[in-house]
Amino acid sequence: MDFETKNGHLMWDGCDTVALAQEFGTPLYVMSQTKIENKLNELQTNFVDKYEKVRVAYASKAFSTLAMLKIIEKQGFSLEVLSDGELYTAIKADFPPELIEMNGNNKSLAEIEMAIDYGVGRIIVDSLQEVAIIRSIAAKKNKVINILFRITPEVSVATHSFISTGQKDSKFGIPIDPAILFPQVEQAIQAPEVNFLGFHFHVGSQLFENNAHLAAVTIALDLVRLVKEKFDYIIEELNFGGGFGVTYMDSDQPQPFNYFTDPMMERLLDFCQKEHYPQPAVVIEPGRSIVAEAGITLHTIGAIKELPGIRKYASIDGGMTDNIRPGLYQAEYTGVLANKADEPAIETVTISGKACESTDILIKDIELPKIEAGDIFATFSTGAYGYSMASNYNKLAIPAVVLVKNGKADLIVRRQNFDQMLANEIIPASLK
Ligand SMILES: Cc1ncc(COP(=O)(O)O)c(C=O)c1O
């Protein structure tokens, strides 16, 4: 993992991480604005500026905060939300409604109503009941809603099964079986309350190969052709999802965005040329690949336990409550002692969390300099699905988040305090 040091300390976007830990406390999420912007600029240059009619919708589930949405808005990108909470965050960030698309495999009536009231640009239909629900709400409000269908493209991907989503047996999307999908399409074409734009897929996450994306594009284009043949209807938009992989471990070999987008666009443009089909707009929905590598988490080392001939454990002041991914799907991470970042590794240590679960192990067997209580451990690539999956298990507080850029640090999420944690709890009169 490449990183910069100064006076033996890990530096992150010009900031001394040990000083950040002192100023803001630990656990602490630290996000580099420069690294986020570099990813956005790469997408801008190699995708948005390169092709006609394409957009990037940041998948806000990866890291959804008001400040992050402002960075996305400044770039002029769109936003993908999946729940009322993510939509509410977008509303509070004054995100332009027409640039928001709403996903979700089980949107509630209230969520759909909220999305329609805010005027989101698109709702991506994920179940067989949803068109009827959208139509009835839209009719009441006298609105016409842009919709796409999320399809299950029935492709398998080379990633952990817990983050693959496009296989046939999936809770996500509508089966591509014409007997199931086409009555939905027909309804969407005919219904005056909706404007049927096209199809969406998302094949999975943390992918290093583009074959599943390409297979899914072919399947989506087959549907485009069939819809034209069967309904004489032109598809205006396709959404190719996210899923582009990032570096968690030195052995990971992520690809640039255009390794995915160029061949997908080539396949689409080829199709349009051969079939004399007007080019549909294309949207991609990256989340992890925009924020993961921009983020680190700082923890303070506490208890150290040496089991001779077995293992040495060093416990941090957080763990699965601020990063559930190792426990949830055996995700691997690496890191350094931020205050000894130039020192050579001399021992093998297992970094364990403080939650009351045996699976709360952040990193098994990492090589580190001599580890001592009070050291600051920095975990790399925690910018995606860390803060957004944080929990209050064991009544541990959700950590603060700082955004750093060129040596300047801004607090963008305050550390949760105990009163906030208990704010919604009530003792009924019978127990007083
Ligand atoms: C519909 C949809 N779009 C986009 C994403 C973002 O995926 P990633 O963070 O891997 O880019 C997800 C992730 O689960 C998703 O379900």
Side-chain angles (χ1 to χ4, degrees):
M1 196 67 68
D2 288 336
F3 55 87
E4 283 173 29
T5 64
K6 195 170 167 187
N7 303 324
H9 291 181
L10 171 69
M11 302 297 287
W12 205 245
D13 211 337
C15 288
D16 180 325
T17 57
V18 179
L20 290 176
Q22 272 159 6
E23 183 178 351
F24 298 100
T26 58
L28 182 70
Y29 297 107
V30 184
M31 298 294 293
S32 158
Q33 190 172 339
T34 306
K35 286 181 191 286
I36 294 170
E37 287 168 349
N38 288 346
K39 292 290 181 188
L40 299 177
N41 290 335
E42 185 188 334
L43 283 163
Q44 182 77 40
T45 309
N46 294 337
F47 182 59
V48 177
D49 294 345
K50 186 166 177 181
Y51 298 102
E52 307 265 303
K53 295 171 71 175
V54 299
R55 284 188 295 120
V56 177
Y58 167 64
S60 68
K61 69 201 72 174
F63 177 66
S64 170
T65 63
L66 298 173
M68 179 65 204
L69 301 199
K70 284 292 180 198
I71 294 174
I72 297 297
E73 186 190 350
K74 249 180 51 191
Q75 187 79 28
F77 282 7
S78 299
L79 191 70
E80 185 251 4
V81 298
L82 181 123
S83 68
D84 45 8
E86 286 182 0
L87 177 58
Y88 187 75
T89 310
I91 294 171
K92 286 290 168 183
D94 280 330
F95 205 90
E98 67 281 5
L99 295 183
I100 298 177
E101 31 208 82
M102 179 138 197
N103 259 306
N105 69 304
N106 182 26
K107 303 177 197 75
S108 71
L109 233 113
E111 283 174 316
I112 293 174
E113 189 154 9
M114 184 177 173
I116 291 177
D117 283 343
Y118 191 55
V120 303
R122 284 132 185 80
I123 295 180
I124 296 161
V125 172
D126 198 314
S127 74
L128 300 178
Q129 299 77 30
E130 213 175 308
V131 177
I133 299 172
I134 294 172
R135 285 180 61 189
S136 73
I137 298 173
K140 263 191 258 152
K141 297 181 185 286
N142 207 14
K143 291 196 175 175
V144 178
I145 311 303
N146 291 326
I147 63 165
L148 289 89
F149 286 108
R150 176 170 181 174
I151 53 164
T152 316
E154 299 184 11
V155 294
S156 53
V157 292
T159 193
H160 195 288
S161 63
F162 290 2
I163 49 175
S164 75
T165 54
Q167 71 281 11
K168 189 170 186 167
D169 182 0
S170 169
K171 71 169 185 172
F172 298 107
I174 297 175
I176 49 175
D177 178 350
I180 301 174
L181 180 61
F182 281 179
Q184 295 288 319
V185 168
E186 187 167 23
Q187 178 187 189
I189 290 171
Q190 287 169 359
E193 304 88 357
V194 294
N195 177 27
F196 170 50
L197 293 181
F199 298 108
H200 168 291
F201 65 76
H202 173 75
V203 289
S205 210
Q206 183 57 359
L207 299 175
F208 298 136
E209 301 288 340
N210 60 16
N211 50 341
H213 282 87
L214 287 174
V217 170
T218 300
I219 284 159
L221 292 174
D222 281 345
L223 290 175
V224 169
R225 186 187 297 110
L226 284 172
V227 168
K228 171 89 170 53
E229 280 168 21
K230 206 166 158 50
F231 303 108
D232 193 25
Y233 192 84
I234 297 293
I235 293 300
E236 282 177 46
E237 187 165 306
L238 293 171
N239 186 317
F240 296 161
F244 319 127
V246 304
T247 302
Y248 286 105
M249 303 297 285
D250 289 321
S251 53
D252 289 333
Q253 292 189 322
Q255 304 283 354
F257 289 114
N258 67 342
Y259 164 78
F260 293 91
T261 50
D262 282 345
M264 288 199 287
M265 289 305 293
E266 194 184 314
R267 203 162 279 202
L268 172 77
L269 296 173
D270 236 43
F271 168 90
C272 293
Q273 198 186 23
K274 285 196 186 115
E275 304 274 332
H276 304 291
Y277 200 94
Q279 188 208 317
V282 170
V283 183
I284 56 168
E285 280 176 355
R288 183 192 312 273
S289 48
I290 292 176
V291 286
E293 292 169 14
I296 55 172
T297 310
L298 303 177
H299 288 105
T300 303
I301 299 291
I304 294 174
K305 174 173 168 178
E306 184 134 29
L307 303 174
I310 303 178
R311 200 177 303 285
K312 181 169 184 173
Y313 288 95
S315 289
I316 50 173
D317 54 353
M320 67 192 303
T321 47
D322 56 71
N323 186 356
I324 187 75
R325 296 186 68 256
L328 190 61
Y329 27 66
Q330 295 141 0
E332 291 185 298
Y333 286 87
T334 187
V336 290
L337 290 179
N339 54 318
K340 299 174 179 171
D342 285 339
E343 291 183 24
I346 59 157
E347 58 177 347
T348 306
V349 182
T350 287
I351 306 292
S352 46
K354 70 178 273 146
C356 194
E357 292 291 325
S358 298
T359 54
D360 187 19
I361 300 292
L362 177 64
I363 300 174
K364 201 172 167 198
D365 294 340
I366 180 174
E367 304 295 312
L368 290 175
K370 177 86 190 143
I371 196 163
E372 293 160 298
D375 284 342
I376 302 297
F377 185 77
T379 313
F380 292 116
S381 296
T382 59
Y385 305 107
Y387 171 74
S388 58
M389 287 189 176
S391 80
N392 279 137
Y393 177 50
N394 283 162
K395 283 267 176 4
L396 294 174
I398 309 280
V401 186
V402 288
L403 184 68
V404 292
K405 184 171 181 175
N406 296 331
K408 189 172 166 294
D410 285 314
L411 186 66
I412 60 166
V413 180
R414 284 189 208 97
R415 185 174 307 281
Q416 188 184 37
N417 66 36
F418 295 132
D419 289 327
Q420 289 164 339
M421 207 188 289
L422 296 184
N424 295 328
E425 298 199 16
I426 299 162
I427 301 174
S430 60
L431 292 176
K432 279 186 182 156

